[in-house]
Amino acid sequence: MITFLFRGLLYVVSAGLGLIAADLLLDGFTIEWDKWWGFVICILIFAILQSVLAPWVGKMANRYAPVLMGGIGIFSTLISLVVVVLLPIGGLRITDLTGWLLGAVIVWLITALGSVLLPLLFLRKKVGAVKGRRR
């Protein structure tokens, strides 16, 4: 259970990093920092949607269009962004086509890298601490 919560927390952190990276790199992708609570809720909702939509989109693509299997992550990221932007809580705005398309790619890439690299970073420290106690 702790491992599940830890991985969930790391996924939320990587989703937040992806959204912040897209905000820094793109003009049409804007985090509304004055509504920081809205942004925090956006991160949580985005992470949950992404976790639920990726397997569902994968099943649909596998069933109806197997050639699209490689784009599942980006497509589910785009769907999650649409939902989060349409919510009336504020926190995130995407205003142009470049923001939508490149934003989805940037968020997907950072989230994917974070999901792989963040656990390695934290687990390396934990393994080092355990080895240090054994000696």
Side-chain angles (χ1 to χ4, degrees):
M1 182 66 173
I2 291 174
T3 303
F4 176 74
L5 292 174
F6 180 71
R7 288 189 184 270
L9 177 65
L10 287 180
Y11 188 75
V12 169
V13 168
S14 66
L17 291 173
L19 293 170
I20 291 170
D23 176 50
L24 294 173
L25 296 171
L26 300 172
D27 290 331
F29 197 105
T30 307
I31 295 172
E32 297 174 345
W33 292 106
D34 58 330
K35 298 179 183 175
W36 64 269
W37 51 270
F39 178 63
V40 171
I41 293 171
C42 285
I43 292 172
L44 294 173
I45 292 172
F46 175 83
I48 291 168
L49 284 172
Q50 183 71 3
S51 299
V52 171
L53 286 174
W56 180 76
V57 170
K59 284 183 183 177
M60 293 296 117
N62 193 28
R63 179 180 292 165
Y64 298 112
V67 75
L68 298 177
M69 288 298 289
I72 289 169
I74 295 172
F75 189 66
S76 62
T77 300
L78 183 61
I79 293 171
S80 299
L81 285 174
V82 168
V83 172
V84 168
V85 168
L86 291 176
L87 291 174
I89 57 176
L92 184 66
R93 281 187 16 241
I94 303 175
T95 57
D96 60 6
L97 186 60
T98 304
W100 282 106
L101 297 179
L102 287 179
V105 171
I106 290 169
V107 171
W108 168 76
L109 183 64
I110 299 292
T111 304
L113 288 173
S115 295
V116 172
L117 297 177
L118 285 176
L120 293 176
L121 178 72
F122 286 105
L123 292 177
R124 178 178 292 158
K125 289 180 182 180
K126 186 175 182 179
V127 169
V130 170
K131 283 183 180 178
R133 280 189 259 153
R134 287 185 182 173
R135 292 182 186 177

